[in-house]
Amino acid sequence: MEGFRQLPQFFERLSQDQNVPVEIRDRIANKLASKKYPETDKNKSSTDFFYNQPGPFKSYLIATLVPGDNDGDKFLLNAWLISDDSIQDLSKFQSLLDHNEQQRGKLCKLTQIPTELNKFLTKALRYLRGKRYDLTIEIFLPIDLMCMEIDRWKITDPIADDITLGNKYPIRLRSLERLNLDYLDSYLSQWYEYWDKVRDILQNDEPIQQLFEHLQEMESFNWKLLKSNLNGKIGLKVTCTHSKAIRKDLFRAILIATTPIAIWIRNDVANLDRVTAIDKILTFKPLCHLCESVRLTREQADAQTEEHLGHHLALLWENPYRLTPDIMVELNSPGQ
């Protein structure tokens, strides 16, 4: 590490490792703050630490929203930061809970969740301070909350007084049900297979519309037929609004088909050609940029005074290789 000038990065990561005793982490953090690195590093310019940094890192804030055990109005909110997703072990997950909070998550009412998530985001940004990174937010939600307007939640910003989460960061919705071990026992192998298809075409410029099943009317909705139609498809585009009563069956089909990607409109937008608008987002750039294309659409909506698609757009993006650390432990210990 010294030869490759990686000592500062190593010490910084070590200072954030929850497996290292607090007193040792504090000593390392103090050393970082005073820049008392080994002698071989003292001869470098004080700006080398920044100019020689790799990156940008693919960083993720992973959150879960789990209904409370006994109170339908209470939820457990938990979150982790992945500073560098290229790390292939559990050490890449850094809990964003305070040390005095239960590890299952922070208990809060639904109305408190935007504020609490903003606190997790602020903490994550402190951990990312000084790094080059692209931060994406992934939130695991129960089915009945899949149309919650998370992208329109307000967040703290040092300059803008009125900024929303989805305007600044790509947001990927995840299904909480996919973290159920019984679900994973039954469907994970198939899910891997579908995601590997996604991975094969992420960088391609070829049209992908034919790889997305299109649902454009709900009057004759049949979840079993949709499940069948999703066979062989990597995604689902829904260009009609759906009621809460249909939502459970809609996502049941997605879960059983292990479909990795879905994009849908939460509410009707007047004078909008919904099919053309969604297809434009899907084809604007290669598939690997879909999350950013959705974010840009939200950013455009933020500058409009009238109704805009960006205010009502939701994106499901399910990567089976990036789950929560507790589930990853279970998957790394099969049959236990």
Side-chain angles (χ1 to χ4, degrees):
M1 286 185 291
E2 181 178 325
F4 287 100
R5 296 187 175 184
Q6 296 296 308
L7 276 176
Q9 291 88 333
F10 168 75
F11 287 132
E12 185 171 4
R13 182 166 293 165
L14 197 64
S15 72
Q16 299 172 3
D17 190 339
Q18 300 296 318
N19 296 315
V20 177
V22 174
E23 61 270 22
I24 295 179
R25 278 188 277 140
D26 289 343
R27 287 169 57 191
I28 295 172
N30 291 335
K31 199 164 192 175
L32 284 170
S34 61
K35 296 185 179 179
K36 293 180 180 178
Y37 306 128
E39 290 296 328
T40 52
D41 286 335
K42 286 185 178 180
N43 296 326
K44 296 190 298 180
S45 165
S46 61
T47 60
D48 281 353
F49 174 77
F50 299 99
Y51 285 127
N52 291 327
Q53 279 203 36
F57 292 126
K58 293 296 183 183
S59 304
Y60 294 87
L61 192 162
I62 310 292
T64 58
L65 188 60
V66 180
D69 295 334
N70 302 315
D71 192 336
D73 188 41
K74 294 289 183 65
F75 294 83
L76 284 167
L77 179 65
N78 207 341
W80 300 264
L81 172 67
I82 300 175
S83 298
D84 179 6
D85 197 41
S86 67
I87 298 172
Q88 297 300 310
D89 57 58
L90 291 171
S91 68
K92 68 181 180 181
F93 289 94
Q94 181 168 0
S95 176
L96 295 175
L97 288 173
D98 292 335
H99 293 299
N100 60 347
E101 291 174 339
Q102 57 175 315
Q103 291 308 298
R104 289 182 61 205
K106 184 160 189 171
L107 191 64
C108 51
K109 294 183 178 180
L110 194 61
T111 54
Q112 297 172 315
I113 292 170
T115 300
E116 296 303 326
L117 184 67
N118 182 49
K119 291 178 183 177
F120 283 140
L121 175 60
T122 300
K123 192 171 185 178
L125 294 178
R126 286 202 300 267
Y127 286 134
L128 291 168
R129 184 180 296 165
K131 298 181 174 68
R132 292 180 59 211
Y133 60 87
D134 291 326
L135 180 63
T136 299
I137 297 174
E138 296 191 342
I139 304 181
F140 288 87
L141 298 171
I143 284 175
D144 59 342
L145 296 181
M146 273 296 183
C147 283
M148 190 162 53
E149 296 181 341
I150 292 174
D151 50 285
R152 303 194 72 178
W153 288 353
K154 304 297 183 184
I155 59 173
T156 303
D157 187 85
I159 304 298
D161 295 327
D162 185 25
I163 190 168
T164 60
L165 189 65
N167 186 11
K168 190 166 184 179
Y169 300 103
I171 297 176
R172 299 171 175 176
L173 303 184
R174 309 284 306 263
S175 300
L176 186 67
E177 290 74 16
R178 296 209 195 203
L179 297 179
N180 183 292
L181 288 175
D182 289 336
Y183 174 84
L184 293 171
D185 288 345
S186 296
Y187 293 103
L188 182 58
S189 179
Q190 178 182 317
W191 185 9
Y192 281 146
E193 180 183 346
Y194 274 87
W195 182 257
D196 289 345
K197 291 181 180 179
V198 171
R199 195 160 49 184
D200 288 342
I201 64 170
L202 280 176
Q203 304 291 341
N204 292 356
D205 288 319
E206 301 168 5
I208 58 173
Q209 292 99 314
Q210 70 274 15
L211 298 174
F212 277 71
E213 175 63 17
H214 186 191
L215 184 60
Q216 52 187 329
E217 62 90 15
M218 289 291 182
E219 291 182 7
S220 59
F221 177 75
N222 181 324
W223 76 268
K224 291 183 179 180
L225 178 60
L226 175 61
K227 173 184 70 70
S228 177
N229 290 341
L230 285 170
N231 287 337
K233 301 294 179 71
I234 65 167
L236 170 68
K237 61 179 180 181
V238 183
T239 56
C240 57
T241 57
H242 66 273
S243 66
K244 189 174 181 180
I246 290 178
R247 192 172 305 152
K248 183 176 181 179
D249 284 341
L250 173 62
F251 282 94
R252 183 193 304 184
I254 294 172
L255 285 167
I256 294 176
T258 64
T259 305
I261 302 171
I263 186 170
W264 69 93
I265 299 173
R266 292 188 295 250
N267 301 295
D268 280 323
V269 181
N271 302 317
L272 175 70
D273 183 342
R274 292 171 293 189
V275 176
T276 300
I278 293 294
D279 282 345
K280 181 178 179 181
I281 293 172
L282 287 174
T283 59
F284 180 59
K285 290 183 177 181
L287 185 62
C288 62
H289 298 293
L290 179 58
C291 300
E292 178 62 13
S293 296
V294 171
R295 190 201 67 79
L296 288 172
T297 304
R298 290 172 176 151
E299 188 176 61
Q300 293 164 6
D302 194 58
Q304 303 292 325
T305 56
E306 66 273 6
E307 278 294 275
H308 190 284
L309 172 65
H311 291 313
H312 307 287
L313 201 56
L315 178 68
L316 184 82
W317 186 276
E318 300 274 23
N319 180 351
Y321 297 99
R322 188 168 51 252
L323 304 176
T324 55
D326 54 328
I327 299 302
M328 297 300 293
V329 167
E330 296 286 349
L331 295 180
N332 287 334
S333 307
Q336 298 297 315

